[in-house]
Amino acid sequence: MSFLHISSSPRGTDSESLRIARVFTDAYTESHPGSEVEQWDLWGSPLPDMALGATAKMTVFGGGTPVGAEGEVWAQARATFERFAAADRVLFSVPMWNAGIPYVLKQFVDVVSQPGWIFGVDPVTGYRHLLADRGTRVAVIYTSAVWGPGLGPEFGRDFQSTYFDDWLRWTGLTDISEIRFHPTLTGDRAAEDAAAFARARDIAKTF
Ligand SMILES: Cc1cc2nc3c(=O)[nH]c(=O)nc-3n(C[C@H](O)[C@H](O)[C@H](O)COP(=O)(O)O)c2cc1C
């Protein structure tokens, strides 16, 4: 089993999502002797630039083949997709940014979500989900600081997990476990911490 952790917080040792991810990956390696965890920090090296990538995508949609600079960025997008799609187990760590996901993760989504790779589309029946039925399992760590389940819209709204979960399912990845850390401004951080750690360990053991 290949295990890939895709992280989207730039906050290093201060990061809450990375702290929970560490508990997850430690529990995973402990319960899967001989396994290795590949770390992919989305802030670590630039993702392909989708200014040209968007043009390449429309070339492909139109049945053509991107060439020149378009072709180069298309090849980089393909390599990015392949790294992601090759993993049997994928852990995403996802902080809430302005009610949504960090832009680097959105860039990742926009780079890999290409026709023939992630999706097909039929004018009558709609989308096909090309990562379905591969046995890939996904776990996602969602964190936020102000928003939390049960709070009213005055504390913001959750377009983070709603968007990202919808994207995963659209790709065909439907075996998804969630670990949440939403201490809110008045919540019990220690209790939230303990619950997130326990859930991370629990899921990791049988991941
Ligand atoms: C740019 C930015 C935007 C944020 N926007 C929100 C937000 O809209 N709602 C919220 O509840 N928390 C928001 N937060 C707080 C983070 O979601 C929260 O602290 C999270 O646990 C950070 O994860 P990290 O420590 O792994 O980076 C934001 C933080 C940053 C840095």
Side-chain angles (χ1 to χ4, degrees):
M1 287 294 158
S2 54
F3 181 119
L4 178 63
H5 170 214
I6 300 180
S7 61
S8 59
S9 169
R11 299 198 320 121
T13 50
D14 291 334
S15 163
E16 285 160 332
S17 58
L18 288 173
R19 190 162 47 89
I20 299 164
R22 171 65 69 85
V23 170
F24 190 110
T25 54
D26 285 353
Y28 181 85
T29 46
E30 226 168 80
S31 48
H32 298 73
S35 61
E36 276 181 27
V37 174
E38 181 186 350
Q39 299 284 352
W40 187 352
D41 171 7
L42 294 180
W43 297 94
S45 51
L47 289 164
D49 178 351
M50 288 310 284
L52 260 182
T55 312
K57 175 177 193 152
M58 299 321 277
T59 302
V60 171
F61 247 133
T65 304
V67 293
E70 257 186 59
E72 268 169 44
V73 85
W74 195 245
Q76 290 166 11
R78 177 74 197 179
T80 308
F81 164 76
E82 281 174 3
R83 185 176 178 192
F84 164 55
D88 302 305
R89 301 287 180 264
V90 188
L91 171 68
F92 286 95
S93 45
V94 184
M96 179 181 283
W97 274 22
N98 301 309
I101 60 175
Y103 62 82
V104 74
L105 181 58
K106 181 59 168 58
Q107 186 178 353
F108 170 84
V109 165
D110 289 337
V111 168
V112 301
S113 302
Q114 303 301 349
W117 305 354
I118 290 271
F119 72 93
V121 64
D122 180 280
V124 177
T125 55
Y127 284 115
R128 282 184 302 123
H129 315 283
L130 302 183
L131 299 188
D133 305 323
R134 301 167 150 218
T136 312
R137 298 181 68 185
V138 177
V140 190
I141 298 163
Y142 292 111
T143 69
S144 68
V146 178
W147 179 85
L151 292 181
E154 59 276 27
F155 293 95
R157 292 210 281 157
D158 174 20
F159 297 105
Q160 171 203 33
S161 67
T162 50
Y163 171 74
F164 196 67
D165 186 74
D166 187 72
W167 175 73
L168 286 170
R169 290 175 194 281
W170 177 66
T171 70
L173 297 173
T174 54
D175 184 341
I176 305 166
S177 306
E178 287 185 1
I179 298 130
R180 289 177 166 276
F181 177 74
H182 304 296
T184 74
L185 298 176
T186 54
D188 181 342
R189 285 188 79 83
E192 270 287 310
D193 245 1
F197 288 169
R199 182 150 170 80
R201 280 194 203 96
D202 237 36
I203 295 168
K205 272 186 212 149
T206 55
F207 198 51

